[in-house]
Each structure stands twice: as C-alpha cells, then as structure tokens.
Amino acid sequence: MTETDQEKLTWTHKHLLGLKDLTRREIEFLLDTARGFEEISTRSIKKAPTLRGKVVVNLFFEDSTRTRTSFTLAANRLSADVVEFTKKSSSVSKGETLIDTARNLEAMGIDIVVIRHNAGGAAKLLSRHINACIINAGDGYNEHPTQALLDVYTIRQVRGSLEGLKIGIVGDIAHSRVARSNIWAMTKLGAEVTLIGPPTLMPAKVNELPVRVSYSLDAVIQELDVINMLRIQFERLGGNPFPSVREYSHFFGLTVERVARAKPDLVVMHPGPINRGVEIESEVADGANSVILRQVANGLAVRMAVLFLVSQGVAEQSKER
Amino acid sequence: MKVIMDAQAISRSLDDLTERIAATLPDGTDFAVIGIRSRGEVLAQRLAGTLAQRLGRTFPCGTLDITLYRDDLNEPKGKGQPQVRTTEIVFDINDKIIILIDDVLYTGRSARAAMDALIDLGRPKAIRLAVLIDRGHHELPIQADFQGRSIDVGPEETVRVRLTEMDGTDQVIVE
C-alpha cells in the first residue's frame, strides 16, 4: 500500500451502522487504519491521547462479553471516557423509550454511542434522532459491523487478501447479524461466500443475497479456505428448526474428522461465544487451524479504528458546513 | 514555485548532518534512529545508511506515526484528513539516545507529538531532533539539534521536501 493510494480516501461517515452501505474502498481503508492501532496494545503504556476529552457510552440492551469489553478497552486505550449503560439497571426498566434514553444521555454531553439492541434498525433510528456518532454493536438480526470487520481483518492478516477465497459460514444464519455483516464485508472484498446449514436456519429471501447456499457441510468442506462457525442462538429460536442438538452437531458440527478432510490451511473462525461440542469440537476450537483468539485480539484494533474514524467523520462534516 | 535545494544540495546536506550527528555519538553510545512518517522516514533510512558507514557499526532504525498524538485532530480547518499508519519500532527505546528525524521543522507541533509518542514507548536517555530544513516561525519552544539548512519562510508559503523514494525526485521547493 503506497501513501498516495491511502490519501485518495477521506472518511466522511460519522456513524457506523452497517457494512451493506460501505464501499469496498471504505472497508479497506478502515482495515488499513486499524493496522496503525495494533501497536498500542503491545506497549507497556497501552494508551494514546487520541480521543482525550471524548465521552463514549456503551448502550447495551442485550448481553455481551466480548463486544462490550472490547469497545470499553478500545475507548480507554484512546483516552476517551466511557459510560457503561445496561438495560437492567437503567430507567428503561421504568418504561423510558430508546430515543428518550439516548437524548438524555446526549444532554450530558456524550460524543459517541455504541449501541446493541434486539431490534434491527435500532442504531439507524438513533442516528436520526441524536447528534452523537452512532456505532452499531449489533442490532437484531440485521448487522454487527465491527465483528465482521475484525473477521475480515483476521483473514487478511492470515491470508493476505480475501480476493478469490472460498468462505463458508455455517449454522444459524437466520438469526445471525454476524453472518449478514460478514456476507457484505467478505463479498465486497472479493471472496465467494457459501452459507451452510439446515434449510430451517436459512434466512428468508436468501436468494437475494450475493451467496451460494449448501445444506450439507460434507459436500463443500473440501473446497473451503475459511470456515466461520456460528453459534445456535437458542435464545432466539422459535419452533423446532432441527430434531435435536445432537443431530445438528452430527451434520453441521466442525469436528476433527471434518477438518482432516478440508484443505490443510483451512482458517477456522468463530465469533463467540462458543458452544463447545455443539457447533465446534474443543480440539478444533483450540487447534492449529483456529484463529478464534486472534479474532478477539484484532477486535480491539478494529474498534479503536472505528472510534477514531467516526470522530474524524464529525470533523470532516463540520468542515463542510 | 522556487527550488531552494536540488539533489546535490540535499545530498551534501545529509552528508553534513551525518558528520555532525556522528560527532555526538562516541563509540559505545547506545542509540537509534527514528524517522517521522512519511518524509522523515525516508530521510531516516538514508541517514541510517550513511551513519552506519561513517561509524562502522549497526544500530536499530524505526518509523514513528504521530497521527494519534496530533493536537489538531478535532480542528476541521487546515489540511486534509490525517491518515493513521503504523509505527514500526521493534526495539526497546529505554536508555537509548534517539535521533529523531523529520523533513521540515516549522511550528514544532509534529516534534511535540513525536516526543509524546516516544515517551509512551519507553524512557529514552535523550531525544535529539534532526531536520533537513528549519523554516523558523516555531510555535512551541522546540529547536532542532541538527539542521541541514535554516531558512526564513513566512506562513503564507509552503516548503515541500520531495524525495526520490516517494516523489521520484530529490528537491526542496517553496511555493
């Protein structure tokens, strides 16, 4: 990457709502920017003054370990102040609406809202009603952009580029915002994506997505370069999408035996949390092909870059005025 | 546009800087050369080459990206959007003398940012600033320890250092 290549792009977005609306160039720019943040986490003083004086609020209406901690750490490492908000201990339990909650927080002078919500479109809705930067940390079944960014960042790190790679996303696609953001990011960066799982876990209108669909993991495992295993979202399942968990793992679990039939350099990914023994065997999750913990580590650099870029987007927009 | 240094002048200036820097580094001095992205990086590579030859020894060389330490990140006026690149300093800077290299010293704000960035990486024994051009009009109490050439250029003009590795030619222009 030469300097002039990078300089062509000016980041103008003050929100990160999803990857569907970003261009390939913008995604690549964001990933290139994230490289510059990796080094901060390797120092003895894990801090840069970049967002000093900014306030970030983590507005989480759903449970989260990784994403929330990762955003908190990312903001801390850039010297921003972080306010943690949880549904249980807030006035939401007294009947306050999302927009009212956010407006009240904004009145206290926050700059960036990181929101996770069980309704698709919540982040977008918020961006229309308040002035702060909005970062979508997962909205319903819609998108989870920072997860997909760290996924493609990790693939680029391991394989150099996504161009021409065959990537399988396995499991509960229907309930997965991670899958949706992955599809946009990976296909924009030139990969071929195959969704793999039982028909009952495929999303509606899957034929409108830029992907192939396979109902058999065994039929496609040999051709994959990267496999992203998703958790069955039991908390969101209605009805009986498969006869039993055992049967599901029998057909769609990533076992040592299946990995042995795949390409030797297959990259095994999982967005977490893992259900060991269900969608992935422990030996595979902890094995040589797995980049699962690397994904988590990369999440920090990617989220620092996102926090930085949305604030740059604000500066850029105020320049235009 | 006025060319104030051509390739030959730049080369002479770098040789001269090499001599003066070398004179401050007696045998056994633990030091490293670090260039500020982007043109400082190129100059640092050249100076590291000539210094290694002159001193007959090797030493670590790194690159510093100061974007995260700039004091104008929230000031929309001014030039284009700053781009974050990587800092590549893979050695321990503790107790080393750091020769910090940039192309132009003007307001002193880049040097300030670079010093803050370095100090977050460790505690060097000393930081010495070497620049190809000192154009005066500093806004912070920062001076170069070594400068190739001092000129007086007002804020209405721009000094550009062009280097073969990045720009295809070696020259310094004022426009």
Side-chain angles (χ1 to χ4, degrees):
Chain A
M1 174 73 42
T2 67
E3 184 189 24
T4 40
D5 278 347
Q6 273 201 0
E7 269 171 357
K8 277 180 206 151
L9 198 137
T10 300
W11 187 267
T12 54
H13 304 287
K14 65 178 267 199
H15 308 300
L16 178 70
L17 305 176
L19 301 181
K20 189 180 179 183
D21 300 323
L22 291 190
T23 63
R24 173 179 186 149
R25 190 68 201 93
E26 285 170 329
I27 294 173
E28 287 174 338
F29 178 80
L30 203 156
L31 300 175
D32 290 339
T33 301
R35 288 186 55 222
F37 288 88
E38 250 189 67
E39 166 262 343
I40 297 176
S41 301
T42 65
R43 308 173 182 171
S44 56
I45 298 173
K46 298 178 180 53
K47 231 178 175 56
T50 320
L51 296 183
R52 203 156 51 100
K54 302 271 185 216
V55 183
V56 177
V57 59
N58 269 339
L59 193 58
F60 276 56
F61 293 88
E62 278 184 3
D63 296 335
S64 162
T65 321
R66 258 160 306 277
T67 307
R68 184 195 193 99
T69 316
S70 183
F71 266 113
T72 303
L73 267 179
N76 284 338
R77 287 193 181 167
L78 297 180
S79 306
D81 296 311
V82 184
V83 179
E84 298 287 348
F85 172 99
T86 45
K87 189 179 172 185
K88 286 177 195 107
S89 58
S90 72
S91 285
V92 170
S93 56
K94 300 176 191 164
E96 191 172 63
T97 67
L98 168 64
I99 291 167
D100 281 333
T101 303
R103 277 187 181 147
N104 276 278
L105 289 167
E106 189 177 40
M108 297 181 211
I110 54 158
D111 300 288
I112 300 175
V113 179
V114 177
I115 178 175
R116 166 167 293 189
H117 199 280
N118 52 4
K124 193 166 194 173
L125 177 74
L126 214 54
S127 73
R128 293 211 190 102
H129 286 90
I130 68 172
N131 281 320
C133 304
I134 310 293
I135 298 173
N136 183 3
D139 60 332
Y141 306 154
N142 181 38
E143 284 225 43
H144 188 353
T146 56
Q147 176 67 45
L149 288 167
L150 71 91
D151 290 340
V152 293
Y153 186 86
T154 306
I155 299 172
R156 280 210 332 178
Q157 206 177 48
V158 179
R159 302 296 296 264
S161 152
L162 274 78
E163 196 66 59
L165 290 187
K166 292 190 172 10
I167 303 180
I169 304 176
V170 186
D172 186 359
I173 316 286
H175 301 101
S176 177
R177 52 196 173 211
V178 173
R180 222 153 261 119
S181 287
N182 259 301
I183 292 167
W184 301 125
M186 289 166 172
T187 53
K188 282 176 194 212
L189 296 181
E192 282 176 41
V193 175
T194 305
L195 303 180
I196 303 156
T200 46
L201 290 179
M202 286 296 161
K205 298 185 182 168
V206 68
N207 54 325
E208 291 174 12
L209 295 171
V211 294
R212 287 169 52 202
V213 174
S214 169
Y215 302 127
S216 163
L217 178 55
D218 287 320
V220 293
I221 183 95
Q222 295 91 336
E223 64 190 52
L224 298 177
D225 298 295
V226 177
I227 193 162
N228 195 3
M229 304 303 299
L230 303 177
R231 181 178 67 93
I232 301 291
Q233 308 213 10
F234 291 106
E235 71 277 20
R236 301 185 207 269
L237 287 186
N240 294 306
F242 42 80
S244 73
V245 173
R246 226 178 120 206
E247 182 176 321
Y248 174 82
S249 352
H250 179 73
F251 286 109
F252 297 102
L254 192 60
T255 57
V256 173
E257 185 272 322
R258 284 203 169 99
V259 172
R261 275 189 280 131
K263 290 184 180 173
D265 58 352
L266 174 74
V267 180
V268 174
M269 311 182 80
H270 195 304
I274 297 179
N275 285 160
R276 286 173 185 267
V278 180
E279 71 274 7
I280 188 164
E281 273 185 358
S282 271
E283 291 85 336
V284 177
D286 306 327
N289 297 68
S290 166
V291 295
I292 296 173
L293 290 177
R294 197 149 156 184
Q295 289 174 265
V296 179
N298 287 338
L300 260 179
V302 166
R303 292 188 173 106
M304 282 193 256
V306 169
L307 289 166
F308 172 76
L309 285 177
V310 294
S311 349
Q312 288 297 294
V314 174
E316 204 57 42
Q317 292 189 359
S318 62
K319 202 189 292 185
E320 282 160 17
R321 250 172 255 143
Chain B
M1 187 190 101
K2 192 171 77 188
V3 177
I4 59 164
M5 285 175 96
D6 58 12
Q8 220 179 7
I10 290 174
S11 162
R12 268 200 311 270
S13 199
L14 290 178
D15 286 344
D16 177 46
L17 276 172
T18 305
E19 277 310 314
R20 279 155 49 211
I21 294 169
T24 66
L25 299 168
D27 278 354
T29 311
D30 190 11
F31 77 100
V33 171
I34 292 178
I36 300 177
R37 275 197 204 278
S38 330
R39 305 251 172 346
E41 175 192 3
V42 175
L43 289 174
Q45 281 160 0
R46 291 198 198 171
L47 278 169
T50 51
L51 262 179
Q53 234 172 15
R54 166 72 176 68
L55 296 171
R57 54 178 284 210
T58 60
F59 49 83
C61 189
T63 302
L64 189 64
D65 183 89
I66 58 165
T67 313
L68 302 177
Y69 289 82
R70 288 172 60 143
D71 62 5
D72 59 351
L73 284 174
N74 299 315
E75 303 292 321
K77 51 185 178 289
K79 294 167 272 176
Q81 198 176 49
Q83 320 266 297
V84 179
R85 302 199 180 86
T86 53
T87 283
E88 278 148 37
I89 298 175
V90 294
F91 49 89
D92 183 5
I93 68 164
N94 280 300
D95 299 321
K96 280 191 177 61
I97 292 180
I98 302 297
I99 311 292
L100 183 65
I101 294 169
D102 206 356
D103 54 348
V104 179
L105 174 61
Y106 175 25
T107 61
R109 289 172 195 274
S110 297
R112 194 283 309 165
M115 286 191 282
D116 280 353
L118 280 177
I119 282 161
D120 277 358
L121 296 177
R123 186 175 185 278
K125 181 153 189 269
I127 300 174
R128 311 241 185 266
L129 179 62
V131 297
L132 182 62
I133 307 283
D134 181 349
R135 57 173 288 189
H137 300 272
H138 304 173
E139 293 171 2
L140 296 175
I142 285 172
Q143 308 296 332
D145 297 282
F146 313 98
Q147 65 271 73
R149 185 179 292 190
S150 292
I151 51 175
D152 185 356
V153 175
E156 67 289 347
E157 288 180 300
T158 311
V159 176
R160 279 188 214 288
V161 173
R162 292 183 172 157
L163 298 169
T164 312
E165 293 88 329
M166 301 185 73
D167 314 296
T169 176
D170 263 15
Q171 58 181 196
V172 180
I173 57 174
V174 175
E175 53 187 12

